[in-house]
Amino acid sequence: IYVIDSADQKRFEETGQELAELTEEESLTGVPLLVFANKQDLGTAAPAAEIAEGLSLHTYRDREWQIQACSALTGEGVQDGMNWISSQIMNRKK
């Protein structure tokens, strides 16, 4: 699970590089990736689709991934993301 500040667009490139480095870790090969696009309650927040493009999530072919718009402040979207990652974990166990 990776959390990004949707309102801090200046750091998207840096954050994308950090995420790419993390996913290259051998121990994380094939592990599902949930990206929470946090702070969607702010007017300056970038939409989740724009963040996914900025992080080049479409290039991740070795794992399932999901970007979930959310607000930790209001709780909106958090449960949806947790449900997705839980289902991914359960599917891997089968």
Side-chain angles (χ1 to χ4, degrees):
I1 298 174
Y2 197 76
V3 181
I4 185 166
D5 180 344
S6 301
D8 192 1
Q9 297 180 23
K10 291 179 236 157
R11 293 199 58 221
F12 287 176
E13 184 177 337
E14 176 186 346
T15 301
Q17 291 171 350
E18 289 174 13
L19 180 60
E21 288 175 22
L22 278 171
T23 57
E24 289 172 5
E25 288 289 324
E26 189 175 320
S27 62
L28 296 177
T29 300
V31 172
L33 171 64
L34 171 62
V35 177
F36 275 122
N38 193 27
K39 297 190 180 179
Q40 290 292 311
D41 53 303
L42 299 178
T44 56
E50 184 179 314
I51 295 168
E53 188 174 314
L55 297 178
S56 299
L57 292 180
H58 62 279
T59 65
Y60 288 85
R61 305 254 187 248
D62 67 335
R63 72 192 69 235
E64 295 292 322
W65 61 268
Q66 169 85 3
I67 187 159
Q68 177 64 54
C70 74
S71 168
L73 185 65
T74 67
E76 185 175 348
V78 175
Q79 190 62 53
D80 292 334
M82 296 308 289
N83 290 342
W84 181 84
I85 198 73
S86 294
S87 70
Q88 293 300 307
I89 292 168
M90 294 305 291
N91 288 340
R92 286 190 67 174
K93 287 184 177 181
K94 292 179 181 176

